[in-house]
Amino acid sequence: PEWLVPSVRQLFFADSPDAVTAATEALVASGHIMELSRDRGGGSGIWGFELFAAEFCAMLVAEAEEFEASALPRRRPNTMNNFGLIVNEIGMEPLMTSILVHLIAPLAAALFSREPFSTSLDHHHSFLVSYQYSGGDRGLDMHHDASEVTLNVCLGKRYSGGDLRFCGRFGSAGHRKQECVVAHSPGRAILHLGRQRHGADELTSGERLNLVVWARSSAFRAAAAFGHVDPDGWPKDDEEGEPDRQCLSRANDADFIEQIRKLRQSGNTYESASC
């Protein structure tokens, strides 16, 4: 389809497991899909790649703006974002399902093969989030997603700041240690595990719109609910060392105030480790 950049179309049209594997390996080998990390050495499980054509990004932005300007009912995406739309509820669910089936699921099977849900992603919660320097959400507190795998695609508008900051994974010893910071650009996608802690730095100007797809596995969630497997991120490891200040969450860390006080006393600085 023309709404994808040419290099990923081969994956979208792959019609067999072998073709999917070959297409994914080719994208990684060519550097189109890259694993991001603090030292660029890999191992983070956070993947970045160009996905949407510029024209398609503009169409999604225009659709969102037109819907927001209407009197039609809408729900906000989740408990964290105050601005945005659930695209599954405004006629885009078939498109998002196609993205899940032809892009997210095969990539997850290849890139997260050690995860018990890597080959069983079968449903999604898909939404647009809006960040606005004036009159909206400027950023987003550290959190992990209610998903097994997340696809986050920047759609654009004019903005500065608002980088995507990654820390460790929920349940791991280093879940409050910084991995890297990703600068958004229109059409570029980030694929990561839902339990990867992350947040959006505050915009310094303008407005940005992102498409987010939370991919989920019914089989994995049912098995976890009945105790056949551990829930994602469990059992938790003991935290190692002091957390990085930029990985603390005011909303999600019960010890947030205590940790901030300790970090101020120790002189811990706010780092920016770009991917």
Side-chain angles (χ1 to χ4, degrees):
E2 295 181 354
W3 48 275
L4 295 174
V5 298
S7 52
V8 298
R9 293 175 191 171
Q10 59 181 324
L11 177 60
F12 190 92
F13 288 117
D15 56 3
S16 70
D18 287 343
V20 167
T21 299
T24 303
E25 289 178 349
L27 289 168
V28 173
S30 68
H32 182 82
I33 297 179
M34 296 184 62
E35 189 171 19
L36 311 175
S37 74
R38 164 176 262 170
D39 59 3
R40 299 181 182 270
S44 67
I46 305 163
W47 298 84
F49 53 99
E50 300 299 322
L51 181 61
F52 290 158
E55 296 81 3
F56 184 65
C57 291
M59 289 173 61
L60 286 179
V61 170
E63 184 71 18
E65 290 177 338
E66 185 173 347
F67 195 92
E68 284 286 11
S70 75
L72 294 171
R74 78 288 311 271
R75 290 191 299 148
R76 296 312 180 189
N78 50 58
T79 58
M80 300 177 292
N81 295 101
N82 296 309
F83 299 88
L85 297 168
I86 300 175
V87 298
N88 289 358
E89 298 179 352
I90 63 171
M92 295 188 189
E93 185 171 7
L95 174 61
M96 297 301 117
T97 298
S98 184
I99 290 173
L100 170 65
V101 171
H102 296 290
L103 293 173
I104 300 175
L107 285 175
L111 303 178
F112 305 123
S113 59
R114 295 183 179 180
E115 299 294 335
F117 46 73
S118 65
T119 60
S120 61
L121 299 175
D122 61 357
H123 66 290
H124 59 91
H125 174 57
S126 301
F127 51 92
L128 298 174
V129 292
S130 174
Y131 296 99
Q132 305 169 29
Y133 180 75
S134 300
D137 294 330
R138 291 186 177 181
L140 188 63
D141 195 10
M142 279 288 162
H143 64 283
H144 65 275
D145 294 336
S147 69
E148 275 68 79
V149 175
T150 294
L151 178 76
N152 185 334
V153 191
C154 176
L155 300 180
K157 304 199 80 169
R158 295 181 180 275
Y159 64 91
S160 60
D163 291 344
L164 186 59
R165 187 177 297 271
F166 283 100
C167 299
R169 296 175 182 173
F170 173 76
S172 71
H175 78 286
R176 295 195 293 187
K177 292 292 187 181
Q178 180 167 285
E179 286 284 347
C180 63
V181 183
V182 181
H184 282 291
S185 60
R188 183 167 176 77
I190 303 297
L191 189 74
H192 61 87
L193 293 175
R195 68 177 183 274
Q196 192 88 42
R197 177 170 272 218
H198 60 284
D201 289 353
E202 290 194 354
L203 292 179
T204 53
S205 68
E207 180 180 358
R208 189 184 73 242
L209 202 67
N210 284 59
L211 171 68
V212 179
V213 181
W214 284 355
R216 296 164 170 168
S217 165
S218 298
F220 173 75
R221 291 181 173 226
F226 284 96
H228 299 305
V229 298
D230 290 323
D232 203 14
W234 296 84
K236 289 184 177 181
D237 296 330
D238 293 334
E239 189 167 17
E240 293 180 354
E242 296 296 328
D244 292 337
R245 181 171 183 171
Q246 55 270 38
C247 292
L248 293 174
S249 170
R250 182 181 296 274
N252 298 306
D253 291 342
D255 62 345
F256 176 80
I257 294 177
E258 175 188 353
Q259 291 294 343
I260 288 295
R261 183 169 58 247
K262 288 182 179 179
L263 291 170
R264 285 174 176 168
Q265 292 173 349
S266 65
N268 186 294
T269 58
Y270 193 85
E271 298 180 11
S272 179
S274 298
C275 292

